[in-house]
Amino acid sequence: MECVLGLVGKGFAIVAADTSAVHSILLHKNNEDKIMLLDSHKLIAASGEPGDRPSVKNPYSVNILMAGYDNESGASLYYIDYIATLHKVDKGAFGYGSYLSLSTMDRHYRSDMSVEEAIELVDKCILEIRSRLVVAPPNFVIKIVDKDGARDYAWRQSLQDVTTAAV
């Protein structure tokens, strides 16, 4: 039920991921940041088994979108699946949300997009996932990497942190 997506624009790369920590039919946490900072100009957005995702175990079963920025080649995005297939892509997605977000990106993506246009496209993907996926994750985190480095851009929340009542 995870959703990870990313795209490359003019001088930047954006990655977004849902923030749900789920096991079977239970939601354990709705504010898990699945996008990790590798260094000042690299991000990885991971989907996969919860125990494998935050710490790279051997063997591990995760799918990764890696976004980065280099002064010589600019922004880039790499698609790495759980069997180590690696492709440089302009846009990509993993998880159930990929069925909806990839078609949305196919229709609206342009390689010369500004940050604002790219965020608008990411928001379209999130809206499509929330409105059409039966078990849609409520919250997403969006991060960006460009010449100024990797950083948080925004959180898209439709469900705030929930605490359970004492029984």
Side-chain angles (χ1 to χ4, degrees):
M1 291 174 263
E2 294 183 308
C3 302
V4 173
L5 58 108
L7 59 92
V8 177
K10 191 172 185 173
F12 65 91
I14 289 178
V15 288
D18 76 281
T19 63
S20 300
V22 177
H23 178 72
S24 183
I25 61 169
L26 298 177
L27 173 67
H28 294 285
K29 189 177 175 185
N30 63 7
N31 62 354
E32 171 127 351
D33 190 350
K34 298 176 186 175
I35 305 174
M36 293 156 271
L37 182 69
L38 283 182
D39 67 24
S40 64
H41 286 78
K42 290 184 200 80
L43 295 167
I44 58 170
S47 71
E49 292 299 318
D52 294 339
R53 191 177 54 244
S55 60
V56 179
K57 292 196 258 175
N58 186 15
Y60 58 95
S61 181
V62 294
N63 298 306
I64 294 172
L65 287 178
M66 184 169 72
Y69 185 88
D70 180 72
N71 287 332
E72 292 176 18
S73 54
S76 55
L77 182 68
Y78 292 90
Y79 173 102
I80 308 165
D81 70 9
Y82 71 99
I83 55 173
T85 304
L86 171 70
H87 291 287
K88 186 174 182 180
V89 295
D90 292 328
K91 58 191 180 316
F94 283 111
Y96 284 124
S98 68
Y99 298 115
L100 304 166
S101 58
L102 286 173
S103 60
T104 302
M105 287 191 281
D106 283 344
R107 179 161 178 88
H108 300 286
Y109 174 79
R110 295 185 339 270
S111 60
D112 66 341
M113 296 179 96
S114 67
V115 172
E116 294 77 19
E117 292 170 322
I119 291 296
E120 186 178 319
L121 178 52
V122 168
D123 285 340
K124 282 182 185 179
C125 292
I126 292 171
L127 180 62
E128 196 70 17
I129 290 165
R130 284 179 177 164
S131 61
R132 297 189 58 209
L133 194 61
V134 173
V135 287
N139 302 333
F140 287 81
V141 60
I142 303 169
K143 296 190 181 185
I144 188 169
V145 61
D146 59 15
K147 64 179 175 41
D148 298 323
R151 61 195 176 279
D152 285 8
Y153 185 84
W155 286 72
R156 299 293 191 248
Q157 294 182 301
S158 63
L159 179 67
Q160 297 297 322
D161 295 338
V162 178
T163 56
T164 55
V167 180

